[in-house]
Structures are given as structure tokens and as C-alpha cells.
Amino acid sequence: DAGITQSPRHKVTETGTPVTLRCHQTENHRYMYWYRQDPGHGLRLIHYSYGVKDTDKGEVSDGYSVSRSKTEDFLLTLESATSSQTSVYFCAISEEETQYFGPGTRLLVL
Amino acid sequence: QKEVEQNSGPLSVPEGAIASLNCTYSDRGSQSFFWYRQYSGKSPELIMFIYSNGDKEDGRFTAQLNKASQYVSLLIRDSQPSDSATYLCAVIPPGGATNKLIFGTGTLLAVQP
């Protein structure tokens, strides 16, 4: 257990509404990541952070933004949710080269 | 060509047999390789990592790396029904200072009692 929590764990929302997912870690890791997981695509990196206020884009960043104002929190925001963003979202931290994952958030956009 | 490829399966093996899971990667300069297990509805959990050519053993699990052929495999000895899960291969590509992982789509393993 790498001390990672995600909230909410489940969310249903409507197209066009903003959504923020939170990832919280308790062990002061520098690197944090947001992934989405979809059938047939596996885990794909959305955004990552390498320190407070230091973030960068991943493979599938369109439609998503992130913020990291404190070491322990990494927020993922869908500014205007679309049905294509229905997915399972995982947060991860990196300890040396190894990544450990949070429990995930299931998001359904209607 | 996908950067990390795995056969989606399902790979079905009888209880007690050896399960062999394979993964190929496209970027020859990749240095670090990981195997994760993911139960249905759960998050990925790390099984093993390997950096050097050859075998690395941990209990019933053995990771094998062949950089010349660009493949990495995971052997599970004495397979148990509790090993039934999706196994994800992941690679850190060259220049991976931020430890970004590229994942395969996973292989579903079904161990038959």
C-alpha cells in the first residue's frame, strides 16, 4: 500500500458538466500520474507531475487539465465532460522507477 | 506498431501448470520492464521488475528479459486459480527521466481448477 487514495470512487455525471477527481498521497512522493483505462486500449497516461506546480502532458491529454498545489494532492479536471471520457481513472505515484496505483475512480458520463 | 504488445488471451492453463506470458516492445533503447497483475475491478499491482538480460525469480514468478529480441516474459509456476487475472507488461522508454510507463493492453490468464 503506497498510501494513495482517490475520490470519488464512483461518479455519474452529465455531458458538459465539469468534473474534478482527486488523488491524495501520504508519503511525499515527487512524481504523480493520471491514467485512464479502457477496454482494448489498456492504461494510457493523461498527465503527470514532477513536483508542486510542475506538470506535463501525457499521451491522451486533450480535454483534461491537472493541478498540483501541494505535494500530496494531484487533481484531474474534465472541464466539460464528454461521453468519450467515460472510463476508469487511476492515479499513481512513482517510487524510484516503480509506479504504484491508487484504487481508481469509475466515471460515467451520460 | 504498438510500443508494447501483448496477446490479449485468454490464456487458459490447468491448476499446477506453468503459465507463460509474453510481451514485446518496439523501442530498442528501453531499459526498465515491469509486470503488473490486475484483478477484475481492481487496480494494477506490481509483481516484478527487471532491468538486465536474463532471468529474475521471485517465489513462483520468473521474469525473463531478452533485449536483443526485444521481449520480456513472465512465468508463473504451479499456477493457482487465484492467479487468474489480467497481466500487464509495462516499459520505461529511453529518456525516461520522469519514469513514464508505456503499458501493453494486458493478457487475461485463466487458471482452471
Side-chain angles (χ1 to χ4, degrees):
Chain A
D1 183 356
I4 308 169
T5 57
Q6 293 185 232
S7 58
R9 294 293 313 280
H10 302 271
K11 186 169 182 66
V12 180
T13 191
E14 294 187 349
T15 298
T17 60
V19 176
T20 295
L21 309 183
R22 179 181 183 239
C23 178
H24 179 79
Q25 56 136 334
T26 59
E27 298 183 0
N28 209 36
H29 295 288
R30 178 183 175 192
Y31 291 100
M32 298 183 75
Y33 310 82
W34 277 108
Y35 293 88
R36 61 178 289 174
Q37 188 173 38
D38 306 287
H41 291 280
L43 281 157
R44 293 180 291 175
L45 182 65
I46 305 171
H47 282 278
Y48 65 99
S49 171
Y50 45 97
V52 173
K53 297 185 178 172
D54 292 324
T55 65
D56 205 348
K57 296 178 180 180
E59 176 187 1
V60 290
S61 59
D62 287 348
Y64 302 94
S65 62
V66 290
S67 65
R68 192 167 178 201
S69 58
K70 299 184 291 184
T71 298
E72 58 265 35
D73 289 326
F74 191 30
L75 304 181
L76 177 70
T77 297
L78 291 65
E79 301 290 349
S80 177
T82 67
S83 59
S84 65
Q85 293 176 312
T86 291
S87 188
V88 180
Y89 291 86
F90 289 103
C91 173
I93 60 89
S94 175
E95 189 171 286
E96 296 185 353
E97 286 193 320
T98 303
Q99 289 191 22
Y100 298 92
F101 288 82
T105 294
R106 291 186 175 274
L107 176 66
L108 175 61
V109 183
L110 299 175
Chain B
Q1 181 187 6
K2 291 183 180 179
E3 294 183 70
V4 179
E5 294 207 50
Q6 298 179 254
N7 188 319
S8 62
L11 173 66
S12 183
V13 300
E15 183 174 356
I18 297 175
S20 178
L21 303 158
N22 299 312
C23 171
T24 58
Y25 59 96
S26 60
D27 200 321
R28 183 170 291 277
S30 299
Q31 296 294 322
S32 305
F33 307 86
F34 303 82
W35 282 101
Y36 287 83
R37 177 176 63 199
Q38 187 175 24
Y39 293 112
S40 180
K42 302 296 185 181
S43 60
E45 54 179 325
L46 180 72
I47 299 175
M48 293 185 72
F49 58 85
I50 186 168
Y51 302 144
S52 303
N53 272 330
D55 295 359
K56 179 181 180 182
E57 186 174 317
D58 184 359
R60 295 187 297 113
F61 299 97
T62 299
Q64 299 176 319
L65 175 60
N66 184 323
K67 289 187 178 180
S69 300
Q70 295 177 238
Y71 81 79
V72 56
S73 61
L74 180 71
L75 301 179
I76 306 175
R77 289 182 299 281
D78 189 23
S79 296
Q80 301 297 308
S82 59
D83 294 325
S84 298
T86 297
Y87 289 80
L88 305 172
C89 173
V91 173
I92 294 182
T98 54
N99 300 333
K100 289 189 291 183
L101 286 174
I102 307 296
F103 282 87
T105 53
T107 298
L108 178 62
L109 173 66
V111 181
Q112 307 301 324

